[in-house]
């Protein structure tokens, strides 16, 4: 009996998996606590692989896939989960990766985020960035922040996503969610239009090009609270990435704008949890936190981003912390092994120093 996509999705979610990989010539694979393993005994042939993939797509999505050979979309399995789906071609056949999304929007409390994350969500305007590698929980952190606003304030929240991952139920806020290719042609187009749609809070799924970054900064400067993500691993790298997309003649002006509009950068990574208890997540988050103070704003304005790390080190009283401090705390509380922490840091000697000092 041929396996159904719904069966694979259900098994993945039941066992706490995060990603499902479908490809011809191998069995379906799931990622569990960061590790890949087969979730079905039999390998898929090309016909069965295509049936699994195309069963998730409507006619318009199939046509787009046939034209471009790549597709991003979302698929919901009632009572189980929503999935972010990416379909692509490899060696002449279709393959897919499905990211499982929670059925319910997470809360800040359930994620165990530092109090400063909630505090930043109360800001009336400015730019808040959540960064990190793929699969580090950026979307989940942002969803929890938006849901906190939804639960506590009467705001107009506008999201621009590719694709929509969490669906919100309005509580105190009015929420509109726009999906790339379904509701708008581009992030930049949607952001231009957003400024005429009376938003208080804007979420940009990814700051991926010059126009989008420029418009996000402008929106933050004009009195909106803007949330966005980048695939950067530190606050300093985030600032550099945003500035470097602009031509050299514009970079000085962008540094000035960014220094005044940026509120905070949360650069996060997920670590494998050491000996998780039954029912406990197999991974735990470590965050580098930079709050934009007059001191950090001055460093950004003057292009001295290499000194931001030192500013974060000395900003503990303002709830700032380096990634190494966060990792060190996880090691000392026995939530993460030292070996795992060393895999997540680009400053191993600093991490060892902190663990020895604090331990």
């Amino acid at each position: 009996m041929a396996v159904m996509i719904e069966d694979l999705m259900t098994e993945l979610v039941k066992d706490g998996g995060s990603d499902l990989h479908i490809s011809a010539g191998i069995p379906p694979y799931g990622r569990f606590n960061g590790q890949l393993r087969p979730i079905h005994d039999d390998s898929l042939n090309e016909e069965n692989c295509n049936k699994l993939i195309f069963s998730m797509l409507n006619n318009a999505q199939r046509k787009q896939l046939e034209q471009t050979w790549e597709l991003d979309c979302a698929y919901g399995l009632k009572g189980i989960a929503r999935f972010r789906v990416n379909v692509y071609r490899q060696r002449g056949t279709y393959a897919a990766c499905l990211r499982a999304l929670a059925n319910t929007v997470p809360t800040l409390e359930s994620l165990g985020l530092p109090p400063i994350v909630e505090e930043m969500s109360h800001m009336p305007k400015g730019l808040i960035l959540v960064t990190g590698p793929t699969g580090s929980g950026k979307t989940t952190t942002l969803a929890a922040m938006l849901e906190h606003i939804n639960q506590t304030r009467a705001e107009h929240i506008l999201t621009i996503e590719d694709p929509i991952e969490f669906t919100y139920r309005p509580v105190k806020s009015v929420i509109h969610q726009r999906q790339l290719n379904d509701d708008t042609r581009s992030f930049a187009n949607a952001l231009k239009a957003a400024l005429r749609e009376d938003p208080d809070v804007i979420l940009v799924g990814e700051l991926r090009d010059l126009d989008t970054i420029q418009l996000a900064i402008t929106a933050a400067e004009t009195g909106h609270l803007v949330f966005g993500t980048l695939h950067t691993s530190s606050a300093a790298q985030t600032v550099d990435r945003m500035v470097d997309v602009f031509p050299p003649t514009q970079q000085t002006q962008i540094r000035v704008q960014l220094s005044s509009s940026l509120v905070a950068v949360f650069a996060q990574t997920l670590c494998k949890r050491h000996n998780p208890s039954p029912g406990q997540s197999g991974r735990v988050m470590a965050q580098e936190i930079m709050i934009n103070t007059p001191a950090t704003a001055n460093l950004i304005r003057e292009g001295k981003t290499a000194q931001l790390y030192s500013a974060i080190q000395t900003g503990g009283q303002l709830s700032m912390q380096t990634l190494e401090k966060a990792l060190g705390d996880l090691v000392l509380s026995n939530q993460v092994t030292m070996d795992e922490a060393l895999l997540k840091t680009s400053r191993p000697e600093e991490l060892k120093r902190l663990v020895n000092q604090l331990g």
Side-chain angles (χ1 to χ4, degrees), residues 11-23:
E11 186 168 350
L12 179 85
V13 173
K14 176 174 65 72
D15 292 344
S18 60
D19 297 86
L20 173 64
H21 291 270
I22 300 169
S23 182

Side-chain angles (χ1 to χ4, degrees), residues 302-343:
E302 295 183 2
K304 298 178 179 178
T305 50
Q307 297 179 31
L308 285 173
Y309 189 84
S310 296
I312 296 170
Q313 281 181 310
T314 57
Q317 289 184 323
L318 300 171
S319 299
M320 290 196 246
Q321 67 178 14
T322 64
L323 180 62
E324 287 63 42
K325 172 67 166 60
L327 289 169
D329 289 344
L330 291 174
V331 170
L332 292 171
S333 61
N334 204 34
Q335 295 184 69
V336 168
T337 65
M338 188 64 176
D339 286 344
E340 174 70 7
L342 287 169
L343 291 174

Side-chain angles (χ1 to χ4, degrees), residues 55-290:
S55 69
M56 297 181 286
L57 309 182
N58 60 34
N59 289 336
Q61 289 166 339
R62 291 187 186 196
K63 184 176 180 180
Q64 181 184 342
L65 178 62
E66 289 165 358
Q67 291 175 340
T68 65
W69 294 351
E70 292 167 323
L71 175 71
D72 280 313
C73 62
Y75 185 85
L77 186 59
K78 190 172 182 181
I80 301 298
R82 278 171 54 79
F83 291 81
R84 185 180 70 201
V85 181
N86 178 267
V87 187
Y88 55 98
R89 286 180 70 85
Q90 65 92 33
R91 296 175 63 188
T93 64
Y94 287 116
C97 175
L98 287 67
R99 167 67 55 83
L101 308 169
N103 251 337
T104 57
V105 182
T107 63
L108 293 171
E109 293 77 14
S110 69
L111 297 179
L113 294 169
I116 189 64
V117 178
E118 177 183 327
E119 188 178 326
M120 290 297 101
S121 71
H122 291 292
M123 298 296 291
K125 64 178 181 178
L127 181 62
I128 295 176
L129 302 174
V130 178
T131 76
T134 300
S136 58
K138 299 184 295 294
T139 301
T140 305
T141 296
L142 285 172
M145 296 179 81
L146 286 190
E147 181 61 13
H148 181 73
I149 294 171
N150 179 33
Q151 295 283 342
T152 57
R153 287 158 40 199
E155 307 279 20
H156 179 200
I157 299 173
L158 181 65
T159 77
I160 308 160
E161 304 172 72
D162 180 26
I164 291 170
E165 299 194 18
F166 291 95
T167 54
Y168 301 89
R169 183 178 64 84
V171 179
K172 289 190 174 182
S173 293
V174 174
I175 304 174
H176 291 116
Q177 295 181 261
R178 305 190 67 193
Q179 181 163 296
L180 200 66
N181 297 322
D182 284 355
D183 305 309
T184 182
R185 299 293 185 193
S186 70
F187 281 115
N189 284 352
L191 264 172
K192 287 175 187 174
L195 299 181
R196 298 188 293 274
E197 292 160 5
D198 187 37
D200 300 293
V201 179
I202 303 171
L203 167 69
V204 186
E206 187 179 341
L207 298 171
R208 57 174 65 161
D209 55 49
L210 185 153
D211 286 343
T212 306
I213 291 172
Q214 175 69 81
L215 287 162
I217 293 173
T218 299
E221 285 183 318
T222 53
H224 304 86
L225 182 58
V226 180
F227 294 92
T229 72
L230 286 93
H231 290 97
T232 46
S233 58
S234 70
Q237 193 181 92
T238 300
V239 173
D240 285 339
R241 178 74 56 84
M242 293 191 73
V243 171
D244 287 348
V245 300
F246 290 88
T249 55
Q250 295 182 40
Q251 290 182 1
T252 299
Q253 178 59 31
I254 290 301
R255 286 193 192 96
V256 171
Q257 288 182 273
L258 193 58
S259 70
S260 62
S261 61
L262 186 64
V263 171
V265 177
F266 300 100
Q268 59 189 50
T269 188
L270 291 177
C271 305
K272 186 176 180 181
R273 191 188 294 272
H274 179 53
N275 292 332
S277 304
Q280 191 176 43
S281 170
R283 294 192 288 178
V284 60
M285 183 191 297
Q287 275 188 332
E288 177 174 279
I289 300 172
M290 186 190 82

